[in-house]
Amino acid sequence: MKAKPDMPKREKLFSDMTGDDRQIAILVAQVGGMPNELQIIVETAQFDEKEEGLRPLNNYIIRVLGAIEHRLVTMGTTVSTIQILEDHPLLYQYNKTPVALFVRGNPTDINAVILDITQAHSEVFGLWRRFPEYMNIEQPLYSLFESGGGLLGQMPKPLADKLVPVLEKHGLETKVIEGQNPADKNTNPMLTEQKIKVLFIGASYFISYAFSIDEFGKV
């Protein structure tokens, strides 16, 4: 798909990436001029069968405005995907209700409980959040269950929703105390109408409320 000359730059970038033969690479990642701003310079390319190599298409500068969290793992490496999402496990701690999950009881097989908790965590977050993130690490989980229970962890509600039936399956009592929804805490009038998003470039990601995209190196 060929981009129109007057196409908005965000549209043009994603148009560049339409097709199985398209690639994108992060060339530069640096701190921007505004507080918490990151600037990412990327290059799109198309695989040229005749030359058996990549043919550069366009360069873009992506400004992550008010960066909250990021992970850069594909600098200089071409990848085949770029996307901006409003719903993803990485965003749960920012856009889902936080809860404290308490558990009480003495399970017959503590190791089996811990194994099931680990599995449930993986089913919710995959490799994006590593166990034991969100768990109470003030004492080992084995000790927590051996002593009859207590605070299992403070976590986004989707994880608690997954864990409660797992714990009850082992004969344990649970109690969930909900905190304030993150959306209700937002008092910045410039952000009230915006949702927090995650920009993926391959396995690299950038979490923010807003992203600005322009062509780079062109007048």
Side-chain angles (χ1 to χ4, degrees):
M1 179 179 177
K2 187 175 180 181
K4 299 177 182 179
D6 58 348
M7 182 180 291
K9 303 313 178 189
R10 177 178 297 208
E11 243 182 90
K12 186 175 180 181
L13 169 57
F14 283 90
S15 175
D16 279 3
M17 293 300 294
T18 301
D20 296 334
D21 59 348
R22 304 303 173 92
Q23 294 282 305
I24 186 170
I26 299 174
L27 304 181
V28 176
Q30 61 190 16
V31 176
M34 300 293 289
N36 299 322
E37 177 188 336
L38 292 177
Q39 295 181 352
I40 312 159
I41 298 174
V42 300
E43 182 178 73
T44 56
Q46 181 176 15
F47 181 75
D48 189 323
E49 291 186 2
K50 292 182 180 179
E51 299 295 329
E52 295 186 349
L54 292 173
R55 177 171 56 84
L57 294 176
N58 295 292
N59 290 345
Y60 299 87
I61 180 167
I62 304 173
R63 293 180 174 87
V64 185
L65 306 173
I68 297 171
E69 180 185 348
H70 72 280
R71 185 180 73 179
L72 185 62
V73 295
T74 53
M75 174 80 79
T77 304
T78 59
V79 296
S80 59
T81 57
I82 178 172
Q83 54 185 336
I84 297 176
L85 303 177
E86 293 183 356
D87 185 21
H88 189 275
L90 277 171
L91 302 178
Y92 287 170
Q93 73 180 53
Y94 303 110
N95 61 16
K96 301 295 184 182
T97 301
V99 305
L101 175 57
F102 294 85
V103 61
R104 186 172 66 178
N106 297 101
T108 304
D109 188 341
I110 295 178
N111 288 321
V113 178
I114 296 174
L115 182 62
D116 285 351
I117 290 173
T118 305
Q119 179 63 32
H121 188 285
S122 177
E123 289 176 6
V124 173
F125 291 107
L127 298 177
W128 298 108
R129 301 288 185 196
R130 301 275 186 173
F131 186 84
E133 191 165 359
Y134 306 119
M135 297 293 107
N136 177 11
I137 59 173
E138 292 187 359
Q139 63 175 321
L141 283 179
Y142 196 96
S143 299
L144 176 74
F145 290 111
E146 196 174 39
S147 65
L151 175 64
L152 180 63
Q154 300 184 67
M155 62 198 68
K157 194 170 183 297
L159 178 55
D161 291 341
K162 187 74 174 181
L163 287 174
V164 166
V166 168
L167 296 166
E168 292 178 347
K169 181 187 73 174
H170 287 276
L172 298 164
E173 297 179 31
T174 62
K175 182 177 182 180
V176 175
I177 299 178
E178 294 190 3
Q180 186 179 11
N181 189 296
D184 298 333
K185 293 181 181 179
N186 187 11
T187 57
N188 186 334
M190 296 182 65
L191 301 178
T192 51
E193 299 301 321
Q194 292 182 303
K195 291 184 178 181
I196 196 166
K197 306 174 186 68
V198 57
L199 163 69
F200 285 103
I201 303 176
S204 295
Y205 67 79
F206 307 85
I207 296 176
S208 180
Y209 280 97
F211 303 94
S212 171
I213 300 174
D214 291 296
E215 280 190 272
F216 182 75
K218 293 188 178 181
V219 179

